[in-house]
Amino acid sequence: MTILGVGVDVLHLPRLTRHLVDNRLAKRILSPVELCEYLALPREDFDRRVRFLGVRWAVKEAVYKAVYPTVKPTWQDFTIQKCASNPKPDLLYHPTDTTLLHRLGQIHTSVSHDGDYTFATVIVEQPTQA
């Protein structure tokens, strides 16, 4: 395994609280699949909504740091998926320009929470040569 890049991010969750009044931030940073999941969360479940946005913000910041300048992704080029059989989140890369898909190898993601903080680490492998 050859590493293309490593990215980390730490987010203080209260930074996001003012953005929950409307959905502008969610619409900007979430992929369509993530936005549907977010909008399905109960509006009164404030903590869950903040954590949902916070995790995605931190992971996407971390992955950007890991892949730039090999690719210059947008917020919506990545989707975080949780799989019932695996506690680690899967980070899917789906750029609008599909010719960029070959530039990244496997993506490894780790997220941790501690109180008002979310920590994300992303390791991106070089693509394997076919």
Side-chain angles (χ1 to χ4, degrees):
M1 162 175 78
T2 303
I3 296 184
L4 174 73
V6 176
V8 297
D9 195 62
V10 177
L11 175 66
H12 190 224
L13 290 170
R15 282 185 54 204
L16 294 180
T17 57
R18 71 177 184 271
H19 296 290
L20 293 183
V21 175
D22 58 33
N23 291 320
R24 282 186 307 187
L25 178 67
K27 289 176 182 174
R28 193 176 108 220
I29 71 166
L30 300 178
S31 70
V33 170
E34 292 169 326
L35 184 60
C36 286
E37 292 175 26
Y38 177 76
L39 294 174
L41 295 173
R43 290 192 65 81
E44 61 277 0
D45 196 345
F46 185 77
D47 290 341
R48 196 165 155 207
R49 290 171 74 88
V50 168
R51 188 162 308 275
F52 186 95
L53 272 182
V55 165
R56 279 137 190 92
W57 176 282
V59 168
K60 290 178 183 195
E61 282 282 321
V63 75
Y64 188 86
K65 293 169 187 174
V67 302
Y68 184 85
T70 301
V71 295
K72 297 173 185 171
T74 68
W75 289 100
Q76 296 183 8
D77 285 346
F78 290 95
T79 298
I80 297 172
Q81 282 189 325
K82 288 212 163 197
C83 181
S85 63
N86 185 359
K88 291 185 178 185
D90 284 329
L91 187 56
L92 306 176
Y93 179 49
H94 48 84
T96 306
D97 179 358
T98 56
T99 63
L100 298 174
L101 277 172
H102 75 282
R103 293 194 178 175
L104 302 183
Q106 189 168 350
I107 303 172
H108 307 273
T109 307
S110 179
V111 178
S112 185
H113 311 278
D114 188 7
D116 285 345
Y117 292 90
T118 296
F119 306 87
T121 304
V122 174
I123 299 171
V124 181
E125 294 181 26
Q126 290 273 3
T128 55
Q129 303 302 322

